Amino acid sequence: MTATTNDDLIAAAAAVLNPHPVGDRLFGDVATTLVTEAGSFHSGVCIDTGSGTGFCAEHAAIAAMVTAREYRIAKIVAVWRNENGALHVLPPCGRCREFIRQIDPANLHTEVVLGRNTSAKLAELLPAHEWPSPLD
């Protein structure tokens, strides 16, 4: 796999940001791009709907990856622009962290971009992820 910089991945995610209001909801205001262990890029955006039926941008990008029959994520980032146009990197929520882990056990080694010069392995962001030992 060719090394992908944080800036490259952030730019790829920012390129698919396209906020679209629908009533009191907003679609596409958070975007994710990931690069697989094989070097493929997949992107997705969030969809905010009522009653918890929407999903995060990470889910959309991972669904595209799985559709392409890939499961191991080398690196992932999520971005959002505020009302002044400033770009922010967002850490994955707890649900997304667990989702990434469950797609493939090796994804505990996924590099999660937290900023231009900052990242962490998923295992660092998902404490107590090991299956517990028996009490007796």
Side-chain angles (χ1 to χ4, degrees):
M1 181 188 85
T2 305
T4 301
T5 69
N6 289 5
D7 281 337
D8 291 341
L9 209 58
I10 290 167
V16 297
L17 278 173
N18 188 25
H20 175 73
V22 176
D24 65 343
R25 302 296 181 164
L26 191 57
F27 299 170
D29 67 321
V30 176
T32 291
T33 297
L34 63 83
V35 61
T36 67
E37 296 245 332
S40 303
F41 285 77
H42 300 281
S43 296
V45 297
C46 69
I47 297 181
D48 177 24
T49 60
S51 303
T53 59
F55 50 83
C56 296
E58 291 91 340
H59 287 221
I62 291 167
M65 175 189 72
V66 169
T67 300
R69 298 186 175 136
E70 293 188 80
Y71 306 93
R72 291 190 175 179
I73 304 167
K75 198 170 191 176
I76 190 168
V77 70
V79 298
W80 166 77
R81 283 194 192 282
N82 69 15
E83 60 279 350
N84 298 321
L87 189 65
H88 298 262
V89 170
L90 302 177
C93 69
R95 182 173 178 241
C96 288
R97 294 174 195 198
E98 180 62 22
F99 188 64
I100 293 166
R101 183 191 74 82
Q102 288 193 25
I103 295 299
D104 189 291
N107 287 339
L108 281 169
H109 303 290
T110 296
E111 182 180 350
V112 179
V113 176
L114 301 171
R116 181 167 276 127
N117 300 309
T118 308
S119 62
K121 297 293 183 191
L122 180 64
E124 297 172 59
L125 302 177
L126 194 62
H129 57 270
E130 300 88 5
W131 190 253
S133 298
L135 294 175
D136 299 314

